[in-house]
Each structure stands twice: as structure tokens, then as C-alpha cells.
Amino acid sequence: MMLKLYQKSYKILLIILLVMLGICVWQSFFYVGGEASLAQYDPWILLLGTFVLISGGIAVARILQECSEKTLSRIAIILLMLILVELIVFGFGLIYIPPYDLIHVQAEAINMLETGKIENIVYYAKYPNQQPITILLYFIFSCAKFIGFTDYNMVGIIFNIFSIFISVCFVYKICCLWSTKAGVISLFLFLIDPMLFSWASYYYTDTICMPFMLCGVYMFLCAEKTKSSKVKVLLFSFSAFIIFIGGKIRITSAFVLIAFVLYLFIKSSMLVFIKKLSCVIVGVVCAILFCNLLLSNYGVKDKNYEYPITHWVKLGLSEAGNGAYTSEDEQSTLAESTYEGKVEENIETIKKRLKNMGLSGVEELYLKKITRVWSTAAYVEPLQNTVMQYNTLYKYTIGRSSKAFNYWMQIVRCGMLTLVFISIIFEIKRKGFQNSWMFITLFGGIVFYIIWEAKPKYSLCFLPILYLIETYSLKYIAEIKEVINVKIKKQECPDFCFDIEKKKRLIKGVSCFIFLCTIIIAGLSYSKYVAKQEIQKDLRVNQTTSYWSGRINEIDNKGIMQSFVSNGDFNTIEVSLLNPNQISGQDYILEILSDKEKILYSNKFSSDDIKNNEFHTFKIDKIAANNDKFYLKILPCKTYDHNIGINTAKYVLYTGYKRSPNYYPDGNLYIGDEKHKESDLAFIVSDQYVDSIFSARIFWGILGMLLILEMFIGVYFYKRAVCLSE
């Protein structure tokens, strides 16, 4: 009786998840982004690309089904090597200067090398969840320092590449528990999804938590398979321990542990459940003691600074921030001096927002949040402001010419969500709970980010779970039996040959239809992406990270100067200038000087044209550059009592550190004759010109590869139908 009740409850959960994923699938095709800042996509291209991708995935899965174990092992080794190479290329090719919260974490971890413990009480008492990753990076940096490697940003990148690669290995091992073929399929899915590769040098909680979570998953599943009671106890305990550690780095990792507890409750008898649960509890208790020991030795605590849980729920209901962070929400919470006062203010704001939005407003906000977190893949735009070098890889991945790359990421996401949707249908029809933990984890993640603060990047840590479910779906589809004993069927049913011929004609028709659709969509897209020309921008320096408290209030009579290195020709400079008092009638000169301080460009501008705290554009004659050093100089034409100001990209919260982070290591700011090593202007150097989004060569190259791929897929399925008819 209880088993039937559990089965019905699980089926209801799957149906709700099916509806949620249905929304995500629809949104991924027809409402991509959820934010006006993200580029929109042609849904027909996404639909066509997704169909080809899924068809190709099914074809690969069927081909692998016919391979021997030895061949599958060799393919797995090749794929793992390719994935590692891809991670290294992206990790070392797209090096990001630590942005946002990561710069807090990196700076404090470096500072700990001298102090031995966290000193920034205000920040870390406010965000206690940041302490575990800071302590972990401290240990990593300590090891690097011991061997004499002190480029800590690069150390973090290498560690992140290692974390992602180990996660790939664990996903492979988990899938191999189903079959070696499933393991190889999972590696193909990793290889064709550029999402994790794009973030290879962003060593934050989103990716660093993954190996802990997946190691715990693998240990748990091994514990379920083993017959030795002692080994079972050890594996269950260690699984809970390591997943909990991952949850301390990023809380959503712990959803897997919750899913496993529910899985055990549904699957096992009460006595067996209690035995297994006791092992899990032992592992969690050991993890809590271990974490408390680390935090007591290295961490800080002050309840009055700490953000309560209600703060993040308040952010999740922010219409202004689309369910994410806003400075106004942060300031209103910080205005309360006690923890209890913060909770009270948060609850009052939550009540007010729910009342003002009403049911329809809440529904609209939640739909936006689902779209942003789960339906959007190409959300690498925030990384543009912090990339260290503007090379060819940058240009075609997150730079000006990244349209094809963004389409590829979104097509992969559409295919992923579609296959996950299909797998839920399979799971509803199946009996048993063997893979229920995957779906419960995904369900928990979607519900959590409906209520909590939500950003697109937050789904990164769930990607391995989505790969596992995707693999499960492809494996299931590939194993569907087509025909049993054709010859017997021919004798028993004369019309059976007609069915085979009908199937062959269907494959021919679908292949020709897709081929024709591809050519039509390509023709329509040509005018949009190749023939149509717009102003494009190749970035040379993009130092736009500006903070109100980090600005210089005035350009004094000695002026300011910024050195920078450009790896290519440039013809535009944008500078963030300040004119809060609306000063008028003042004249200034902007100069570009060579490394030998020879004036290459000079332009007079007026304070009348300066809007406060906005980037002012200077169009200049093209200056040739190839990793050459230049100086940007701004000075008043004569002495004024009060001058306009200029923004810097200095993050002043770090002035107390022994080594303050530097947003642009290749340049320095000069205020008068004084050199400020760890501060830079908020400025952009670029080469702007009228051009197409795609060059014709790249466009036709992509189209050609797509048509060849479609031809191979169609031929493969047609040949299978022919083999069945013989």
C-alpha cells in the first residue's frame, strides 16, 4: 500500500517536472534570454539545429551500440583527451581578471598566505558561504607558493580546469554503471557543449563544487551496487561527507544528497532505509565537524553582519532586477544594524512585493526566472568586461563575431532540454526508482531558483546532472527495438514489406525536407547576418568596471594619463567622464601618445558635451598597433577652479590588502606625476567599422558542414532501414 503511495507521489512529481521542463523547452526556442541585453535568436534556426543535433546524437548512440567494449574504451580515452585539450585551450585562451565576488575571494585567499586566516570580517560575516571556497583557494595557493608559482590567477585557472575535467571523469564513471556505451555518450555530450569550456578560467563556486558533488554521487551508486555490508557503510558515509563539502562551497550541490535520501525512502523498506540513513547521517556529521574545525581556525563570524535567508528571497522577488540582485535591495538590508532587524525588513518587503505584484505579476516574474536560469545558454556577456586579452578566440566566442558560437550554445541547450523532457516521459512509463535521484535533484533546482535569487550562471553546477539525464534519454532511445525477426514477419504478414518500404520513403522524405528547410533558412538568414551591415566593434581594451566610490572627483590642472597596450589597430576611445555639477564652458584636450610620448592624436572637447557618469566617445584616425604601448592623456586647456571628473576602475574595498587586485595589469594610471599602480581609468579602446555579423566565408562554411552532417545522418538511418528489410 505504502509502495503504491510512493509511486503515485513520484509520478506526480515527474508530471510537475514535465510541465516545468515543457515551459523551459518552449522558452529556449521562442523566448531566449529573459533579458533585453541578451541577443535574440531566430527560432527556425534553433528548431532546425536542435533536430539535427538530436538526430545526430541518436545516430551516434546507435553506432556505439554496435561497438565492442574494447573499441568503446579506446573511444573514451580519445574523447577524454579532446575534452582536456579543449579545456586548456579555452582556459588559457580566455583568461579573465577575477570579476565580482570572485575578486573578493581571490584577494582574501592571497592575503591569507601572509595572515593565515580571513581578516575581512565585514564581507565574510555578511557572506559566510564564501568562506569555504576562500579557504580552499588558500590551500591551493599555498601549495603553488611552496613550489614557487606565484601567479595566483593562473593557479586558480589551472585548478578550475582540473575541477571540470575531474567532473567529466566522474560523469563518465557514473554513466558506465549503466553501460560503457552510456559513458561514451556522456563524453560526446561534454565535448559538443561549449558552455563549461567558456567558463574554464572562471574559478568560482559554480564549477569548483562539481567534482565534490559528482564524486559523492558515484560513491553512493557504487554503495548501492556492492554486496559487502562494510564497504556499503563506508561508501554511504563518504558519499554524504563529500557531497556535504560540495554543498558548503555551493549550497545547491547538497540537493543531490536530499534527492538520495528521498530515493532511499521511496526504494527501501523502513528498516533498510533507517540503516542506510544512519550511514548518511554519520557522513554529514563528520563533514559538519570538519567544516566547523576549518572555519574556527581560519574563518570569521558576526551575526549582525550576516545576510539572513529572507534577504535572498527578497532579491528573488525583485521586479527591478528580474529576480536577482539590485543595489537598492542590498542597501535596504544593510540599513538594519541587527540580524533580527534585517529579517523583519526583508519579510515586510516580501509581503509588500507579493501584494503589489498579485498572482499574475508573480507568475510573470517566475516565468522570467525560469527562462533566465534554465532556457538561456549564451550568457557569457558578463565575461567581456573582465577578459584579459582580446585575441582571436575571444573574438569568435564572446566577442564581436560570436553570433555563431552563441547559436551553437543555444542549440545545444535546446537539444539538452528536449532530451531531458523526453527522458521524463520515459521515466513516467517505467516502473521502479533506479534513476529517480536525478529527476528529484533537477526538480529541486528548478523550484529553488523560482523562489531564490536567480541568475543564468547559477545553472552551471547542474549541467552534469543534465548531461546524465541526457545520456539516459539517448541510451533509452537507442535501445528501442525496431523489428524482431523480419523473415518470420514476412511469412506471417505479407504487408510487412510495404511497412519497410514506407519507412524508407519516410526517411527519404524527412531527409529531403530538412535539407530543403536548411537551404531556405540559410537564404533568409544570409540577408540578416551576411548581407546586412552594421557598426561592429573589435575590442582592444575594455576596462569598464567602474564603481562610484572608486572615482576621481576632478581632473586637476596637471591632468591624468593612462597607459595601455593594444594588440591591434584602433580608431575609437570611450572614457567614463563625470560632470555632476553640470559645469559648462570649459575646454579640455584628449591626446594619444606613443610609447616614446610622441603625440599621435589630439582632440579638443568641451565640458558642455559631458553627461555625468557616462562614457564619452572619441572617434579618432586609425592608429596602427601590434601589442604596442600607448598613453591616453586628458588635461584642461587652462586653469579652472573646478573641473570635470573621471571614473576609475579601482575597486577601493581592497585598499587594505597587501596586494590589491589590478583590473588591467598591462596599464597604469598617472594622476599628475604620481603613478597609481593598482588603478585604471574606466575606458574602452576599440576598432569600429561597418561590417556584417558573419563573413560570407564563415557563413557558407557553417552551412556546408551542416548539410554534410544532415546527409550523413539521413544516409545512416536509411541504411539501417535497408538492413532490416533484407
Side-chain angles (χ1 to χ4, degrees):
M1 183 69 180
M2 290 298 290
L3 182 61
K4 287 184 178 180
L5 180 63
Y6 298 151
Q7 285 177 336
K8 287 182 180 179
S9 300
Y10 179 54
K11 298 294 184 187
I12 291 170
L13 181 147
L14 288 175
I15 291 169
I16 297 171
L17 182 60
L18 190 69
V19 173
M20 289 176 171
L21 258 296
I23 294 171
C24 292
V25 171
W26 178 266
Q27 296 288 304
S28 66
F29 283 113
F30 301 106
Y31 184 67
V32 176
E35 292 180 333
S37 62
L38 292 176
Q40 297 299 308
Y41 302 88
D42 186 337
W44 294 110
I45 295 178
L46 294 179
L47 284 165
L48 176 65
T50 303
F51 178 83
V52 174
L53 184 68
I54 292 175
S55 301
I58 295 170
V60 168
R62 288 188 181 276
I63 291 169
L64 292 175
Q65 198 170 12
E66 299 168 3
C67 294
S68 65
E69 287 291 316
K70 189 175 181 180
T71 303
L72 289 172
S73 299
R74 288 175 177 173
I75 293 172
I77 292 170
I78 293 169
L79 291 176
L80 283 169
M81 290 174 64
L82 288 174
I83 290 169
L84 181 59
V85 169
E86 202 166 359
L87 283 169
I88 291 171
V89 168
F90 275 81
F92 294 162
L94 295 177
I95 298 177
Y96 306 120
I97 301 164
Y100 315 122
D101 290 329
L102 177 53
I103 201 166
H104 285 275
V105 170
Q106 190 211 52
E108 189 64 56
I110 294 171
N111 190 55
M112 286 177 70
L113 295 174
E114 297 183 25
T115 64
K117 66 178 300 180
I118 291 172
E119 288 189 333
N120 190 347
I121 297 174
V122 174
Y123 177 79
Y124 282 95
K126 190 163 54 174
Y127 300 100
N129 56 298
Q130 296 286 55
Q131 295 189 44
I133 188 174
T134 304
I135 294 168
L136 176 61
L137 286 179
Y138 160 63
F139 287 128
I140 299 298
F141 292 168
S142 297
C143 295
K145 185 180 180 181
F146 179 76
I147 62 174
F149 189 18
T150 56
D151 184 348
Y152 297 115
N153 190 37
M154 188 58 68
V155 172
I157 291 169
I158 293 169
F159 177 61
N160 193 52
I161 290 171
F162 175 77
S163 297
I164 296 174
F165 184 69
I166 291 298
S167 301
V168 173
C169 294
F170 274 123
V171 168
Y172 169 71
K173 296 296 290 182
I174 291 165
C175 291
C176 282
L177 295 175
W178 296 331
S179 68
T180 309
K181 181 194 74 175
V184 176
I185 291 172
S186 71
L187 295 180
F188 270 110
L189 296 176
F190 265 106
L191 188 65
I192 65 170
D193 189 355
M195 179 53 64
L196 283 177
F197 301 113
S198 303
W199 294 80
S201 64
Y202 188 93
Y203 48 100
Y204 196 48
T205 56
D206 311 274
T207 51
I208 290 178
C209 71
M210 291 194 306
F212 294 91
M213 175 182 71
L214 294 167
C215 176
V217 169
Y218 180 64
M219 294 300 170
F220 188 95
L221 296 175
C222 287
E224 281 288 274
K225 283 183 172 291
T226 187
K227 294 180 180 179
S228 171
S229 57
K230 290 182 180 179
V231 174
K232 193 182 289 286
V233 168
L234 188 63
L235 289 176
F236 272 129
S237 299
F238 181 75
S239 169
F241 176 88
I242 201 74
I243 292 174
F244 188 89
I245 298 296
K248 293 295 287 185
I249 295 172
R250 188 163 195 86
I251 185 62
T252 43
S253 300
F255 284 17
V256 177
L257 189 59
I258 297 169
F260 275 135
V261 171
L262 290 173
Y263 162 74
L264 292 174
F265 181 71
I266 294 171
K267 176 179 175 291
S268 311
S269 64
M270 188 55 66
L271 182 60
V272 174
F273 169 70
I274 292 171
K275 287 181 180 179
K276 292 180 179 179
L277 182 63
S278 62
C279 298
V280 171
I281 292 171
V282 168
V284 170
V285 170
C286 291
I288 291 171
L289 293 174
F290 176 74
C291 291
N292 287 344
L293 178 64
L294 284 178
L295 292 174
S296 63
N297 287 332
Y298 301 101
V300 296
K301 189 173 183 179
D302 191 321
K303 191 79 171 176
N304 289 327
Y305 285 117
E306 187 177 340
Y307 282 146
I309 290 174
T310 49
H311 172 74
W312 309 108
V313 178
K314 180 179 80 169
L315 294 181
L317 285 168
S318 168
E319 286 186 286
N322 282 329
Y325 168 89
T326 63
S327 58
E328 292 78 12
D329 279 342
E330 183 181 38
Q331 293 304 319
S332 62
T333 300
L334 289 175
E336 302 295 329
S337 58
T338 64
Y339 184 85
E340 291 74 18
K342 289 181 174 67
V343 173
E344 189 175 339
E345 186 278 332
N346 294 159
I347 291 174
E348 285 299 316
T349 305
I350 289 168
K351 288 179 179 178
K352 189 182 297 183
R353 286 180 177 174
L354 288 171
K355 184 178 179 181
N356 291 341
M357 284 191 289
L359 185 61
S360 59
V362 172
E363 181 185 346
E364 183 180 353
L365 178 62
Y366 285 169
L367 188 61
K368 284 183 181 178
K369 290 172 73 174
I370 286 179
T371 302
R372 294 180 70 219
V373 177
W374 301 100
S375 299
T376 308
Y379 51 78
V380 292
E381 286 180 348
L383 298 174
Q384 291 179 359
N385 293 345
T386 57
V387 73
M388 189 179 291
Q389 49 188 344
Y390 297 93
N391 49 30
T392 303
L393 183 63
Y394 162 81
K395 179 179 178 180
Y396 288 102
T397 54
I398 63 175
R400 177 184 70 81
S401 303
S402 61
K403 194 70 176 179
F405 186 77
N406 290 341
Y407 259 116
W408 176 241
M409 282 198 291
Q410 191 59 34
I411 286 169
V412 171
R413 177 58 58 91
C414 291
M416 174 187 290
L417 293 174
T418 303
L419 285 170
V420 172
F421 183 85
I422 293 169
S423 69
I424 297 170
I425 296 173
F426 291 155
E427 187 69 7
I428 290 172
K429 292 183 176 182
R430 277 172 59 96
K431 291 183 179 180
F433 309 98
Q434 185 179 357
N435 301 307
S436 60
W437 62 271
M438 298 189 303
F439 299 98
I440 294 171
T441 301
L442 182 59
F443 179 82
I446 295 176
V447 171
F448 181 77
Y449 283 126
I450 286 176
I451 300 168
W452 210 252
E453 183 207 13
K455 293 180 182 178
K457 184 169 69 75
Y458 290 173
S459 67
L460 273 177
C461 65
F462 285 99
L463 279 183
I465 303 299
L466 289 169
Y467 291 141
L468 287 167
I469 299 176
E470 229 184 331
T471 303
Y472 168 74
S473 183
L474 284 172
K475 174 179 173 291
Y476 194 97
I477 293 171
E479 289 174 352
I480 294 175
K481 303 296 182 183
E482 296 182 64
V483 180
I484 302 173
N485 203 334
V486 177
K487 290 184 178 180
I488 296 175
K489 287 284 185 181
K490 283 182 178 179
Q491 293 175 358
E492 294 180 354
C493 181
D495 296 331
F496 188 72
C497 292
F498 169 77
D499 293 337
I500 292 294
E501 290 301 320
K502 188 176 180 181
K503 183 174 181 180
K504 290 194 295 188
R505 287 198 300 272
L506 178 64
I507 292 171
K508 274 186 181 178
V510 170
S511 299
C512 292
F513 177 75
I514 295 299
F515 216 77
L516 184 62
C517 283
T518 303
I519 294 170
I520 292 171
I521 292 173
L524 296 173
S525 300
Y526 187 87
S527 60
K528 183 178 180 181
Y529 297 123
V530 180
K532 184 180 179 182
Q533 295 188 330
E534 299 174 346
I535 294 177
Q536 307 295 330
K537 181 189 291 187
D538 278 338
L539 293 172
R540 306 305 182 197
V541 179
N542 189 9
Q543 186 42 270
T544 63
T545 308
S546 56
Y547 291 85
W548 186 259
S549 56
R551 66 181 185 169
I552 302 170
N553 290 323
E554 288 188 3
I555 300 173
D556 63 18
N557 296 320
K558 291 183 179 180
I560 61 95
M561 187 166 65
Q562 171 73 44
S563 64
F564 64 92
V565 175
S566 177
N567 62 355
D569 301 351
F570 60 93
N571 61 10
T572 306
I573 290 185
E574 300 165 71
V575 185
S576 180
L577 297 169
L578 301 163
N579 193 6
N581 299 320
Q582 298 181 338
I583 294 173
S584 60
Q586 295 184 356
D587 291 324
Y588 293 81
I589 293 177
L590 177 138
E591 295 178 345
I592 305 295
L593 296 88
S594 68
D595 191 22
K596 297 179 181 178
E597 299 196 17
K598 177 186 176 182
I599 297 175
L600 302 176
Y601 172 81
S602 180
N603 179 48
K604 182 186 284 189
F605 65 96
S606 172
S607 60
D608 299 344
D609 302 325
I610 304 305
K611 295 182 181 179
N612 186 44
N613 206 26
E614 288 188 10
F615 279 86
H616 187 75
T617 302
F618 297 92
K619 295 292 292 182
I620 62 180
D621 298 329
K622 180 168 284 192
I623 295 176
N626 183 17
N627 291 318
D628 298 319
K629 186 176 182 179
F630 300 91
Y631 294 93
L632 164 65
K633 190 173 184 178
I634 301 177
L635 66 161
C637 290
K638 61 181 181 178
T639 302
Y640 300 114
D641 293 332
H642 297 285
N643 295 20
I644 63 171
I646 192 162
N647 262 325
T648 67
K650 181 179 179 181
Y651 205 126
V652 294
L653 293 176
Y654 298 100
T655 52
Y657 286 119
K658 293 176 176 58
R659 182 179 176 184
S660 182
N662 190 1
Y663 276 99
Y664 180 52
D666 293 330
N668 291 297
L669 174 67
Y670 300 82
I671 302 173
D673 297 326
E674 185 181 354
K675 183 178 180 179
H676 289 232
K677 290 183 179 180
E678 292 161 348
S679 185
D680 295 292
L681 291 187
F683 69 111
I684 300 171
V685 180
S686 61
D687 187 32
Q688 295 187 12
Y689 50 91
V690 177
D691 197 4
S692 306
I693 294 173
F694 289 140
S695 70
R697 183 173 58 184
I698 291 175
F699 181 84
W700 293 119
I702 292 172
L703 177 61
M705 286 189 294
L706 182 60
L707 291 173
I708 291 169
L709 182 62
E710 289 173 1
M711 181 179 69
F712 275 116
I713 292 171
V715 169
Y716 170 76
F717 282 108
Y718 182 80
K719 282 187 174 180
R720 283 191 67 87
V722 171
C723 290
L724 288 171
S725 64
E726 293 175 354

